[in-house]
Amino acid sequence: MNHPAFVHIPDSRTEGVRSYCEPATPHPLQLTFLTEEGERQWVDRLRGHIVAARLDAADRMIAEALAPFEGRIAKLAKIASADDVALEGWEDLMPILAEHEGPAITAITVGLTNEPDLVFDGTDEHEPTLVIALYSDDSFAFSSASRDALLAECLSDNPAFAGEEEDVEFYSVLTGLAALNTALIQSKHRYYLRDGRDGVEGRAPGGYCEYVLGTWVRALRFLQALERAADAHGLPEGARLVAGTFGLHTDFASLMREGEAPLNAQPAADIAPVATLTMKKWEPKHDPLADLYSPGSSDSGSSLRKRVVVDEGEPVVAAPPAQAVTEIAEPSEATAEPKPGLIARLFRRLRRA
């Protein structure tokens, strides 16, 4: 149907949506997930590998649990190779930051999520969305915060650095997960209530187990792609790279990179010596007018201060030239001092002020 208002909703009999063919013998993960405690322990173990950035260990754990499943999500998860998932545009990060005139970037957060209401769009496949933000220590002490404190702040409901991103125009997209991501969006096996209405007995529903595994495969492939991009194109010196997911059933935060040279962890031996600050002894600024009043100067005051004849015809002799000002000091009481000239009086006034 081509009507623009038409919304396609997958039928419940579509494989991987509601319909699921249970195996004759339950798989090991179905027995592990039979109880809430068993599921929690398994997920916590996997999340521990992810948060600690032990991606190879997480990959092996997922692959072992996923191997016997053969449903729609399991098939898509198996063919979602790490080599086929990539972050496009990450190579632009360093050139963009080279022109950044703001404070030094000390943290980059990369979150994986989905746009809302995609479940109603069954006609297209959807890649997960990346949410990238760059921060400086002006908003939070990223450089000095411990690993646990930083991750706890990232997972809090209202992080201290929320809304304090640096004004840097940088975009990157994740590719290679559209098929798996769309299958997870459309799946109706998102919950296992354990109330007797799940349609199976003595095991966890296979569809639910596949959904959980699929969400962790999506998260793992994202982290592997981010790790490769950071290795290939680099990060700002001293910047910490934090990655995670939200709204995807696998919410977590992982410190992927500590930074090649953390700003507050530079060894003392590597710090360049600082030049000693020296100060020149203060001397009064040379007054060019003082030369005019110097007795030994060729341009003495006598050549400039000529006799002035007043209206009555009585000559007025100019005042004797003032001594050159060489330093600002109180004259000796025993020394007779001629009447100071204009420049000398100004210096004295400034000194007393």
Side-chain angles (χ1 to χ4, degrees):
M1 189 171 183
N2 296 324
H3 192 280
F6 174 74
V7 175
H8 173 78
I9 300 178
D11 189 89
S12 61
R13 291 169 293 181
T14 302
E15 181 185 8
V17 176
R18 172 64 67 182
S19 176
Y20 187 85
C21 181
E22 290 286 345
T25 304
H27 300 316
L29 193 65
Q30 290 182 276
L31 299 178
T32 301
F33 280 17
L34 185 58
T35 63
E36 291 186 20
E37 181 64 18
E39 179 181 355
R40 185 187 63 79
Q41 291 181 357
W42 189 91
V43 170
D44 286 349
R45 180 185 168 202
L46 177 59
R47 181 181 279 109
H49 289 317
I50 294 289
V51 170
R54 298 189 295 266
L55 304 187
D56 291 341
D59 205 348
R60 290 191 296 270
M61 185 175 174
I62 293 174
E64 180 182 357
L66 185 62
F69 289 93
E70 298 179 349
R72 179 191 180 205
I73 291 178
K75 292 176 181 177
L76 292 172
K78 291 176 182 178
I79 64 175
S81 170
D83 295 335
D84 295 332
V85 182
L87 266 69
E88 296 183 356
W90 193 267
E91 64 276 9
D92 298 330
L93 175 62
M94 295 304 291
I96 290 175
L97 290 183
E99 300 179 0
H100 177 54
E101 298 180 352
I105 299 300
T106 55
I108 302 175
T109 61
V110 186
L112 190 72
T113 189
N114 270 321
E115 298 292 338
D117 301 328
L118 293 181
V119 67
F120 298 110
D121 187 356
T123 59
D124 298 317
E125 291 186 340
H126 306 279
E127 295 282 7
T129 299
L130 290 181
V131 180
I132 302 175
L134 290 81
Y135 298 94
S136 71
D137 279 1
D138 290 350
S139 58
F140 182 76
F142 290 100
S143 297
S144 58
S146 67
R147 173 183 174 276
D148 292 341
L150 176 58
L151 296 182
E153 192 68 31
C154 291
L155 292 173
S156 65
D157 293 335
N158 187 26
F161 49 83
E164 299 296 330
E165 302 89 349
E166 293 298 321
D167 187 14
V168 179
E169 296 292 333
F170 170 67
Y171 302 97
S172 180
V173 295
L174 185 69
T175 61
L177 286 175
L180 175 59
N181 187 57
T182 303
L184 292 170
I185 291 172
Q186 296 175 350
S187 176
K188 299 299 186 292
H189 295 279
R190 301 185 181 190
Y191 305 101
Y192 177 27
L193 302 178
R194 299 180 178 87
D195 60 356
R197 295 180 294 175
D198 298 292
V200 294
E201 295 181 0
R203 68 179 74 178
Y208 175 74
C209 293
E210 287 196 13
Y211 175 77
V212 172
L213 288 169
T215 59
W216 284 107
V217 169
R218 176 176 56 191
L220 176 62
R221 297 293 180 256
F222 153 61
L223 294 180
Q224 290 170 327
L226 179 59
E227 187 176 57
R228 290 197 306 273
D231 289 342
H233 306 292
L235 294 171
E237 183 178 0
R240 308 175 87 175
L241 178 62
V242 181
T245 66
F246 54 97
L248 298 182
H249 190 85
T250 55
D251 292 357
F252 68 88
S254 175
L255 183 57
M256 300 294 296
R257 287 288 186 276
E258 282 282 4
E260 296 180 358
L263 299 180
N264 293 343
Q266 188 178 7
D270 295 339
I271 300 178
V274 179
T276 304
L277 180 61
T278 59
M279 295 183 65
K280 184 179 179 181
K281 184 179 180 180
W282 180 85
E283 296 179 1
K285 186 177 180 181
H286 175 68
D287 179 14
L289 297 180
D291 295 336
L292 299 178
Y293 306 109
S294 175
S297 173
S298 59
D299 294 330
S300 63
S302 60
S303 64
L304 300 176
R305 299 173 178 269
K306 296 183 178 180
R307 298 170 60 92
V308 179
V309 181
V310 296
D311 293 341
E312 291 79 1
E314 296 180 0
V316 179
V317 180
Q323 298 297 322
V325 180
T326 57
E327 61 179 354
I328 301 175
E330 290 290 340
S332 171
E333 295 181 359
T335 303
E337 180 183 4
K339 184 178 180 181
L342 174 63
I343 301 301
R345 291 201 303 274
L346 287 177
F347 271 93
R348 181 175 298 177
R349 182 177 300 174
L350 290 174
R351 179 178 59 78
R352 291 178 177 175

